Amino acid sequence: MAETGRIRVAKDKAELVKSLTSAEGGTGPFQTFADVIVFAAALGVKHKKRIPLGEISKREPAPIRLEVFAVSGYDILIKLIALTETQDIIILSPHEEEYEKQRNGIFEEYANGGLELLVSELRGAIDYTDRIAMYLKYEKTNNGEEDEEFNLTKFLS
């Protein structure tokens, strides 16, 4: 079950999350771990890919405080994903720790699903920023072709 007040990352995705940030001299397209997790969660929701976390990363990235998400306004996305998933407004209750855990768990699982998609899409990429930009461009121009599996090889020379 999700940890109260923190968003966790699966241990097997921790290196990917770190490599996607520009923190500490990195060259990734995102500034913070929270930015990566939110992008991955949105990707997971779009593709209806929700995967339980399994073993949790204890450091780098350690579980991220909800305040980090709230400062950027990402807490709204966490709540919207939970509301959409459960179709029950009670999930938004700010006074029940159990609902917060449930919201966080749903968000974490969608983020893990999105990270799983990124693992396969970024395999072999040297520059993650370019590869993600190509992926987003493809998604934008081909949003009606949901049946076709996405394949980046058509963009490579």
Side-chain angles (χ1 to χ4, degrees):
M1 181 53 98
E3 184 177 329
T4 302
R6 296 189 181 269
I7 299 296
R8 304 165 306 158
V9 175
K11 188 174 184 177
D12 65 333
K13 311 291 186 328
E15 280 303 314
L16 174 62
V17 172
K18 285 184 352 185
S19 68
L20 288 171
T21 64
S22 58
E24 298 176 17
T27 59
F30 301 99
Q31 291 183 345
T32 67
F33 294 141
D35 295 335
V36 174
I37 300 305
V38 167
F39 178 78
L43 194 60
V45 169
K46 181 183 185 323
H47 292 280
K48 297 173 179 60
K49 191 161 178 99
R50 184 175 169 189
I51 301 174
L53 271 64
E55 191 174 353
I56 305 300
S57 175
K58 300 292 186 217
R59 57 171 107 128
E60 289 301 308
I64 307 163
R65 293 185 337 270
L66 281 177
E67 293 82 21
V68 174
F69 291 89
V71 166
S72 298
Y74 296 150
D75 56 325
I76 302 298
L77 182 66
I78 295 170
K79 291 174 183 172
L80 285 174
I81 290 172
L83 180 61
T84 302
E85 182 70 14
T86 63
Q87 297 291 307
D88 188 359
I89 197 148
I90 195 74
I91 194 81
L92 301 178
S93 175
H95 305 295
E96 297 289 333
E97 187 176 305
E98 187 57 36
Y99 294 123
E100 181 180 317
K101 283 182 181 180
Q102 192 176 355
R103 285 191 305 266
N104 293 353
I106 292 167
F107 179 75
E108 290 170 343
E109 289 179 0
Y110 274 118
N112 196 39
L115 289 169
E116 187 73 28
L117 291 168
L118 286 173
V119 164
S120 64
E121 293 303 329
L122 298 175
R123 186 171 290 123
I126 295 170
D127 185 344
Y128 287 165
T129 303
D130 284 346
R131 184 70 67 98
I132 289 173
M134 286 190 307
Y135 176 78
L136 292 173
K137 182 169 176 60
Y138 176 84
E139 287 288 319
K140 180 181 176 188
T141 58
N142 296 303
N143 60 4
E145 299 176 19
E146 301 250 346
D147 295 332
E148 181 184 335
E149 189 171 316
F150 183 72
N151 183 353
L152 283 174
T153 57
K154 64 175 100 178
F155 293 106
L156 303 175
S157 306

